[in-house]
Amino acid sequence: MKELEDRIRRDGTVKPGDVLKVDAFLNHQCDVTLFDRMGAEWARIFADRHIDKILTIEASGIGIACVAARHFGNCPVVFAKKTQSINLDGDQYTARVYSYTKQKEFPVIVSKRFLTAGEHVLLIDDFLANGKAMSGLIDICNEAGVKIEGIGIAIEKGFQRGGKELRAAGYDVASLAIVKSMDGEKGTVEFA
Ligand code: 5GP
């Protein structure tokens, strides 16, 4: 998606440890018009799929998933939580995920009330790096017995292994921008 690539070039910054910072438009300040066009693009890519529900992970997935849902018949959006809380009652699906950016493990939790066996689910997230967050969501989907129709990613870091592994496992991964390489010193980002 050229518009997203241009925006990353313009407003993204490369941080040490191969981290791309896009907080000016994606995961702190949100450009909702851009989110809307991203949602339209996923809807075009997954036009032949029936989607009952979108599943994402807090926090940065929520905004893009909610706007994307407008392009998938206003389907419900469920987001996995990363912390236990007294508001999370009843039975839950949980998986453990290692965070690349925070360099620590955290749980992903979805209430059993919001995933029903047989539902057709689209997974959405802001970044795909080593694929740990997606693996956690996939584990939960498998436990719940829902069908994963596809995976929509805003920015895939193609030089990390997540995208390759998910595609090899047979998942339909639609990344709107795939970063081939980044140079922290020059501040440049190359796309696939
Ligand atoms: P993975 O689990 O695929 O290794 O990493 C994906 C998750 O880590 C995303 O949910 C995202 O929040 C975070 N992440 C990974 N790499 C980056 C990055 O370069 N920039 C930002 N902003 N987040 C990242």
Side-chain angles (χ1 to χ4, degrees), residues 86-106:
I86 49 167
N87 288 329
L88 260 168
D89 50 359
D91 276 352
Q92 301 155 1
Y93 298 111
T94 54
R96 292 202 71 79
V97 166
Y98 182 80
S99 165
Y100 178 78
T101 43
K102 300 199 172 62
Q103 309 236 317
K104 64 175 187 194
E105 220 185 44
F106 61 88

Side-chain angles (χ1 to χ4, degrees), residues 7 28 72 94 128 133 150 155 162 175 188:
R7 194 61 184 273
H28 194 7
F72 287 89
T94 54
L128 177 61
I155 304 170
S175 301
T188 52

Side-chain angles (χ1 to χ4, degrees), residues 18-22 27 57 97-98 100-101 125-134 157 160:
D18 278 335
V19 171
L20 178 61
K21 204 167 168 205
V22 287
N27 47 28
I57 183 162
V97 166
Y98 182 80
Y100 178 78
T101 43
D125 202 8
D126 60 339
F127 270 89
L128 177 61
N130 290 314
K132 304 286 183 197
M134 267 305 139
K157 293 194 289 183
Q160 290 179 267

Side-chain angles (χ1 to χ4, degrees), residues 20 155-159 177-182 189-192:
L20 178 61
I155 304 170
E156 175 180 337
K157 293 194 289 183
F159 52 88
I178 301 182
V179 176
K180 192 168 70 180
S181 62
M182 310 194 293
V189 181
E190 295 288 328
F191 295 96

